[in-house]
């Protein structure tokens, strides 16, 4: 909450993400240099893997997540955070660690719950402009005001 007060409100999401990533990189580098054994420069293969994980798994994921929040809104984007363990399970399966029966059941439950939440009529996802939603007629004896009309004409 304190950081939110320090971040300028007139900057873009990309600028905010770049600032957060830079601050985190500087802080983690300082901690790494001040603790543990001496710093060892990785060889080319390990350095390339570290760079790919940092850019792909860190920077791009934050940029895509922030872009998703900007496009979908926080309520809709929060629903999809539940898919993180399922994605981890899929990545582990591709790495040679197949999931057990309990993990498959858990993944199916998570996917079902996210789907149900996304498609249920009262959810934040279902009420988006891209999805059809039936609106109930106004109650008897009430009047609705059209923003395009002058309220004194009613």
């Amino acid at each position: 909450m304190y950081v939110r007060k320090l971040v300028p409100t007139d900057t873009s999401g990309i600028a905010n993400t770049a600032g957060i990533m830079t601050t985190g990189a500087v802080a983690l580098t300082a901690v790494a240099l001040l603790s543990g054994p001496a710093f060892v420069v990785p060889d080319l293969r390990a350095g390339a893997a570290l760079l790919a994980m940092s850019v792909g798994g860190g920077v791009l994921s934050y940029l895509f997540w922030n872009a998703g929040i900007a496009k979908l809104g926080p309520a809709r984007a929060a629903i999809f955070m539940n898919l993180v363990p399922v994605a981890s399970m899929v990545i582990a399966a591709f790495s040679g660690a197949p999931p057990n029966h309990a993990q498959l059941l858990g993944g199916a439950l998570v996917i079902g719950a996210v789907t149900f939440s996304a498609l249920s009529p009262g959810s934040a996802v279902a009420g988006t402009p891209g999805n059809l939603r039936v609106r109930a007629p106004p109650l008897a004896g009430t009047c609705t005001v059209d923003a395009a009309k002058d309220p004194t004409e009613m």
Side-chain angles (χ1 to χ4, degrees), residues 12 20 34 37 44 64 71-72 74 88 91 101 107-108 110 122 138 145 151:
S12 69
I20 291 168
L34 296 175
L44 183 61
F64 291 148
K71 184 172 175 84
L72 300 175
S88 298
I91 291 169
H101 294 294
V110 168
V145 177

Side-chain angles (χ1 to χ4, degrees), residues 53-92:
M53 288 188 301
S54 300
V55 172
V59 176
L60 291 178
S61 63
Y62 272 105
L63 284 174
F64 291 148
W65 180 250
N66 286 341
I69 289 175
K71 184 172 175 84
L72 300 175
R76 291 178 62 202
I79 292 171
F80 296 99
M81 281 296 292
N82 296 307
L83 294 174
V84 170
V86 176
S88 298
M89 182 178 65
V90 170
I91 291 169

Side-chain angles (χ1 to χ4, degrees), residues 86-117:
V86 176
S88 298
M89 182 178 65
V90 170
I91 291 169
F94 280 116
S95 299
N100 60 32
H101 294 294
Q103 291 170 330
L104 289 173
L105 177 63
L109 287 173
V110 168
I111 291 171
V114 168
T115 303
F116 177 75
S117 178

